Amino acid sequence: MPQHPPQPDIVHGLDQTEAAARLVRFGPNQLRPALQRTALIQFLAQFRNPLVLILLMASGVSALTGDVPGALIIAVIVVMSVTLDFVQAYRAGRAAERLAQQVAVTATTLRDGHPTELPVSQLVPGDLVLLSAGDLIAADAQVLQANDFFVNQAQLTGEPYPVEKKAYAPSATDAPTDLPASWELDAPDTVFMGSSVVSGSARVLIGRTGSTTALGQIAVSLAAKAPPTAFEMGTRHFGILIMRLTLMLVLFTLLVNVALHRTLLESFLFAVALAVGLTPELLPMVVSVTLTRGALRMAALKVIVKRPSAIQDMGAMDVLCTDKTGTLTEAHIRLERHVDATGASSSQVLALAYLNSYFESGLKSPLDDAILAHQGIDVSGWNKIDEVPFDFERRRVSVLVERAGIRQLVVKGAPEDVIQLCTHYLDSTGATVALDALAHTSITELFDRLGEDGFRVLGIAWRDVALNHPHAVVSDESELVFAGFAAFLDPPKASAAQALQAMTASGVAVKIVTGDNERVTRHVCTQLGIPITGVLNGTEMALMQDDALRARVEEVNLFCRVNPSQKNRIILALKARGHVVGYLGDGINDAPSLHTADVGISVDGAVDVAKQAAAMILMKNDLNVLHHGILEGRRTFGNVMKYIMMATSSNFGNMFSMAAATLLLPFLPMLPLQILLNNLLYDVSEISLPLDDVDAEDLATPKRWDMTFIRNFMLTIGPISSLFDFLTFYLLLRLFGEQESLFHTGWFVESIATQVLVIFVIRTRRNPLRSYPNRWLVLTSLSVVLAAMLLPFTALAPYLGFSPLPPIYFGMLVALLAAYLIIVEGVKQWFYRRLTHR
């Protein structure tokens, strides 16, 4: 049902008290408001894990059968493990939220009569919102005032062209603030959530928010999750692989213990504990903490991450598409020349350009700012009648102005398009002359020379119209008089050349995708030392099928005079070739490409539409900052891979050995609570893994998820762990005979030591002595191993089923550890050498 709030003050807006009451009444302005869960609820949600529930139920059964101390120990270990996971994930989630809030989209709202910037989630029905070009429309609203107000509502209607919206004209029976009885998408006086302002400005009255908006009703009925990223799919496939192996081993273990007539409850607990040890339950925490720590480090590098999983995509990115303005150039554009058709300086060209930029109501470009800043011109005698706003198909803007009985249409835009619309031009004497073929050639040559000198150029034209000409329309842009060119300089960034070289050295190909002409872009590339491997312009692209474009995009690194839809085609073609594509953009026209790219990147000064579409926001528009972000993405991915390689090799090997040992030993190789304690200590040792350093060679090239690599690594390193486990079983039986408590203790200590210490071998492709781990990883790992060695000598030992170990055992342990780590290192080096030579 539509929301019907009391009528607001349409001059001063709501006061803060009324706004707060409405926020409680109508809820936050979100399509699907996020459930605000307390920390306690989030903690309790951790117990939904089936394995955790089974363990707690089994612990209860154990207590009922008389083993109260054992049941309590199992319960405490389970709660400690869950708490460890929760604390890390909770802190990571809060940190990610704080980062996202730094770049949250806001709206300018009148509260108590004063313009106030508020997060769009706090808008309520009855709010008065001020809109201008580049703004996102955050709720369904009635237009109260409009000034050449054009919006893009393609998300709702599919119509790609901007639609003009006009102020609501009430009938004689309407109250001044009556909201429409029905919200029709084609209504000329209503705007809708999800639309964006292309040009002009407006004051609107919010009528519907959140899920009651037109977009909200669609979202509720057609709610669909965003497609998973390559990283998310990779972790999911890895989890499925481990779970399948876990299920097979657990069923095998349970059947063997039942067949050998062992205690049913103890066998069941052993099988479930084994499942806990095999399950990568720490993986979600490691991933979330690692990604969040990566996001925090990137924030320190002036990159705000809105979607943490995009960090890995950034690390996998091998192609970056970017405009040159502000990225390769300083974005300090200045107007250098204003010339007529002959190349002579012309004050009339400047005056016409100034009129157009001054009265343009759309989002002013840096070129407009440069024109207005160049020289002040008195426009007090001029009145604006109408406007044809800029769009990326026409590539021009026209304003209809009047002064002293003269009404003119002044046009400014892409020179190639403006020249084509002209039938006359002004010669050096100021006379209007027919634009013949010779003059056309001369003007085109002048344009080319300006481009070759590095100038960005706008064409300026005009025409007189009748005084009773009421509106400006696209068809009026014909039979124009060509006035001349406005030429701008935007010097290259001093840091851009070094950043581009670093990108190339890091395996990222930079492709320039720009609306500028080829000559200007070539000039910038020459100044920056960028080798041009191929050029493709928008007119050529328009004639190409997608298959033909896919064949060209690989070699071309300069795309000129392309419109927004063509930018999107370029990205899709690159993705079809198997590339992970990043796109850096900050304009209204960049939003579709930011959505399409694997990594959408915008800047802090971008329009709302671009910032909303992007996954990352650069607080400083600099390729060096972006390069640091790419390396951070690779570092983050590297640390996630370390945990996965541990889980698939040493940890899995140990648990496999434990399952197999049930066939060979007359007793369980380890008690269920010992397996759980083993798993808890192992998890503690891995807490600091997200802080670890990554070798320079692992940052040198893009990194992607590779299940084949993970499987091969598991099949190569895992058997070594199992082999040493069986050797340990043999030595423990020779040393302790069938003394279960000593066997369990010795196997527990050896299992922890091998699982934990092997991280120093697996974490690097280098010799471990030449790659230095983070000190916190060293500290937690050695502390866990030391704790495992000391536990049998503490007062807790009897409750845990441990017995003090004789000195000879520790001598054997040192020898086993040294042999194990040396062999794993040798096999690891062989594995990587074979991988390199493929």
Side-chain angles (χ1 to χ4, degrees):
M1 292 292 292
Q3 296 164 328
H4 294 294
Q7 292 183 1
D9 182 342
I10 63 170
V11 176
H12 301 97
L14 300 174
D15 59 46
Q16 295 293 352
T17 303
E18 175 63 21
R22 294 189 183 206
L23 186 60
V24 172
R25 176 183 172 189
F26 297 111
N29 181 35
Q30 297 170 341
L31 294 184
R32 284 179 291 172
L35 181 63
Q36 299 299 315
R37 300 192 301 176
T38 64
L40 176 61
I41 292 175
Q42 293 181 56
F43 174 71
L44 294 176
Q46 302 288 320
F47 289 90
R48 291 182 302 179
N49 185 321
L51 291 176
V52 171
L53 292 175
I54 290 171
L55 279 172
L56 290 176
M57 286 189 293
S59 173
V61 172
S62 182
L64 292 173
T65 57
D67 187 11
V68 176
L72 285 174
I73 291 173
I74 290 175
V76 168
I77 291 174
V78 170
V79 171
M80 288 177 64
S81 181
V82 166
T83 302
L84 173 69
D85 191 0
F86 162 73
V87 169
Q88 294 293 319
Y90 182 80
R91 291 172 58 191
R94 298 289 79 77
E97 287 177 9
R98 288 193 295 271
L99 286 177
Q101 288 169 2
Q102 293 186 36
V103 290
V105 174
T106 60
T108 305
T109 310
L110 286 179
R111 291 279 174 91
D112 295 316
H114 302 291
T116 306
E117 289 291 323
L118 291 176
V120 295
S121 61
Q122 294 184 23
L123 294 180
V124 296
D127 261 328
L128 289 179
V129 175
L130 306 179
L131 296 172
S132 58
D135 287 346
L136 272 175
I137 297 170
D140 293 356
Q142 179 87 60
V143 181
L144 300 181
Q145 297 173 5
N147 178 27
D148 293 316
F149 186 52
F150 285 77
V151 302
N152 183 327
Q153 50 188 39
Q155 186 173 2
L156 285 166
T157 65
E159 172 59 50
Y161 299 105
V163 177
E164 185 172 12
K165 297 289 184 176
K166 297 182 181 296
Y168 169 62
S171 67
T173 59
D174 287 341
T177 57
D178 275 353
L179 292 168
S182 63
W183 295 79
E184 299 294 337
L185 294 180
D186 58 355
D189 55 3
T190 52
V191 291
F192 299 90
M193 174 188 274
S195 306
S196 58
V197 183
V198 175
S199 65
S201 59
R203 177 182 292 208
V204 301
L205 172 65
I206 301 298
R208 303 190 300 187
T209 58
S211 58
T212 64
T213 61
L215 185 64
Q217 292 167 24
I218 295 171
V220 168
S221 60
L222 301 176
K225 287 184 67 176
T229 65
F231 181 69
E232 291 166 339
M233 289 196 307
T235 53
R236 189 175 303 160
H237 291 157
F238 168 72
I240 291 171
L241 170 68
I242 293 296
M243 287 304 292
R244 286 173 177 170
L245 294 172
T246 299
L247 184 61
M248 288 191 299
L249 282 178
V250 167
L251 288 175
F252 168 78
T253 304
L254 192 58
L255 290 172
V256 166
N257 279 279
V258 170
L260 295 176
H261 305 293
R262 290 172 181 157
T263 307
L264 185 60
L265 177 61
E266 189 174 52
S267 299
F268 176 71
L269 276 172
F270 178 80
V272 174
L274 196 62
V276 172
L278 285 166
T279 304
E281 79 286 348
L282 202 64
L283 180 58
M285 187 276 285
V286 167
V287 170
S288 62
V289 171
T290 305
L291 291 176
T292 303
R293 289 194 180 279
L296 291 171
R297 296 214 291 197
M298 290 178 75
L301 298 171
K302 304 295 184 184
V303 182
I304 303 299
V305 180
K306 292 172 57 184
R307 175 170 58 83
S309 63
I311 296 175
Q312 192 279 329
D313 296 326
M314 178 83 99
M317 183 176 74
D318 60 351
V319 174
L320 173 67
C321 295
T322 178
D323 195 356
K324 64 180 183 59
T325 304
T327 305
L328 305 181
T329 62
E330 293 287 357
H332 296 152
I333 299 173
R334 60 182 185 270
L335 177 62
E336 288 288 326
R337 300 180 64 185
H338 36 91
V339 298
D340 61 19
T342 66
S345 183
S346 170
S347 59
Q348 185 173 4
V349 170
L350 175 60
L352 290 169
Y354 193 97
L355 277 174
N356 183 287
S357 294
Y358 183 85
F359 286 113
E360 180 185 354
S361 62
L363 187 68
K364 284 184 166 47
S365 72
L367 301 181
D368 290 305
D369 295 334
I371 291 170
L372 297 174
H374 181 71
Q375 178 182 324
I377 294 178
D378 184 12
V379 296
S380 58
W382 290 93
N383 293 312
K384 179 181 175 183
I385 308 300
D386 201 5
E387 175 180 358
V388 184
F390 180 87
D391 69 60
F392 294 96
E393 297 297 326
R394 290 167 40 252
R395 299 190 301 175
R396 58 185 177 271
V397 58
S398 299
V399 295
L400 183 62
V401 293
E402 178 183 334
R403 182 180 71 171
I406 298 173
R407 188 167 288 194
Q408 289 182 336
L409 185 75
V410 182
V411 182
K412 175 182 92 251
E416 307 96 314
D417 297 328
V418 171
I419 293 170
Q420 294 300 323
L421 299 171
C422 294
T423 56
H424 295 76
Y425 72 100
L426 293 176
D427 66 9
S428 56
T429 66
T432 301
V433 182
L435 183 61
D436 56 19
L438 184 62
H440 189 283
T441 301
S442 176
I443 291 171
T444 303
E445 288 175 351
L446 172 60
F447 169 50
D448 290 343
R449 288 196 302 273
L450 289 169
E452 288 167 358
D453 291 338
F455 288 104
R456 295 183 65 180
V457 182
L458 288 177
I460 311 297
W462 60 280
R463 65 171 288 195
D464 289 327
V465 298
L467 279 173
N468 60 357
H469 195 87
H471 299 293
V473 293
V474 173
S475 59
D476 291 335
E477 297 172 335
S478 60
E479 299 182 354
L480 303 176
V481 178
F482 182 74
F485 296 114
F488 308 81
L489 274 184
D490 186 13
K493 275 186 178 176
S495 62
Q498 178 186 356
L500 286 168
Q501 291 174 2
M503 289 271 198
T504 303
S506 299
V508 180
V510 178
K511 296 184 183 289
I512 301 170
V513 183
T514 179
D516 271 350
N517 70 68
E518 180 182 335
R519 286 179 171 81
V520 175
T521 312
R522 279 184 177 273
H523 182 83
V524 172
C525 290
T526 300
Q527 288 184 299
L528 292 174
I530 302 172
I532 298 172
T533 58
V535 180
L536 192 62
N537 61 53
T539 54
E540 293 172 322
M541 273 189 62
L543 302 174
M544 298 174 70
Q545 298 292 328
D546 289 342
D547 289 344
L549 180 60
R550 282 195 290 269
R552 290 288 307 278
V553 290
E554 197 75 34
E555 64 184 37
V556 173
N557 69 338
L558 200 58
F559 299 88
C560 303
R561 284 297 189 209
V562 290
N563 60 36
S565 62
Q566 290 172 333
K567 291 181 180 181
N568 220 34
R569 286 185 64 199
I570 292 166
I571 294 171
L572 289 170
L574 287 165
K575 291 177 72 172
R577 294 289 300 254
H579 293 288
V580 177
V581 184
Y583 182 83
L584 175 58
D586 61 359
I588 297 173
N589 62 315
D590 292 314
S593 300
L594 289 166
H595 273 297
T596 302
D598 294 290
V599 188
I601 309 158
S602 195
V603 296
D604 189 42
V607 298
D608 287 349
V609 188
K611 290 170 69 174
Q612 182 74 11
M616 296 184 180
I617 307 292
L618 302 184
M619 305 307 287
K620 182 179 178 183
N621 195 355
D622 189 341
L623 280 181
N624 280 308
V625 171
L626 187 56
H627 180 245
H628 292 317
I630 291 170
L631 297 183
E632 189 58 48
R634 295 176 186 176
R635 181 178 290 109
T636 301
F637 179 71
N639 282 334
V640 172
M641 284 300 297
K642 289 174 187 177
Y643 175 78
I644 287 171
M645 292 161 71
M646 285 282 292
T648 55
S649 54
S650 175
N651 184 38
F652 186 79
N654 279 356
M655 295 301 160
F656 175 81
S657 306
M658 208 175 299
T662 56
L663 279 173
L664 307 174
L665 299 173
F667 47 80
L668 292 176
M670 203 181 289
L671 297 178
L673 66 87
Q674 293 169 348
I675 297 176
L676 294 175
L677 181 61
N678 178 299
N679 191 57
L680 175 64
L681 291 175
Y682 172 73
D683 286 354
V684 170
S685 75
E686 302 302 298
I687 286 178
S688 55
L689 193 57
L691 299 173
D692 195 25
D693 300 319
V694 177
D695 296 335
E697 54 267 31
D698 289 328
L699 304 178
T701 55
K703 301 296 180 186
R704 299 198 196 185
W705 194 277
D706 187 350
M707 280 301 296
T708 302
F709 168 83
I710 294 170
R711 183 197 64 209
N712 291 342
F713 190 86
M714 177 179 70
L715 295 176
T716 302
I717 304 297
I720 300 174
S721 176
S722 296
L723 180 66
F724 269 83
D725 289 340
F726 288 124
L727 177 60
T728 303
F729 293 158
Y730 171 76
L731 293 175
L732 288 175
L733 287 173
R734 289 294 301 269
L735 189 63
F736 301 132
E738 294 188 6
Q739 299 180 59
E740 288 187 38
S741 178
L742 280 173
F743 185 96
H744 290 158
T745 307
W747 168 227
F748 175 85
V749 173
E750 191 272 349
S751 175
I752 280 287
T754 55
Q755 280 187 86
V756 172
L757 295 182
V758 80
I759 183 61
F760 299 111
V761 175
I762 290 176
R763 61 172 292 277
T764 177
R765 296 189 180 204
R766 301 177 184 175
N767 182 321
L769 300 178
R770 296 178 182 173
S771 176
Y772 303 108
N774 182 276
R775 64 179 182 275
W776 289 108
L777 181 62
V778 174
L779 182 63
T780 55
S781 299
L782 295 182
S783 297
V784 164
V785 173
L786 182 62
M789 290 180 175
L790 293 177
L791 266 176
F793 300 96
T794 67
L796 290 174
Y799 301 102
L800 298 172
F802 292 146
S803 298
L805 293 164
I808 190 174
Y809 166 82
F810 292 100
M812 180 191 75
L813 177 64
V814 170
L816 277 173
L817 278 174
Y820 173 64
L821 296 177
I822 289 170
I823 291 176
V824 169
E825 171 62 19
V827 173
K828 180 197 75 175
Q829 294 296 341
W830 170 82
F831 175 82
Y832 283 122
R833 279 197 303 271
R834 190 184 65 168
L835 192 69
T836 304
H837 292 1
R838 279 184 177 178

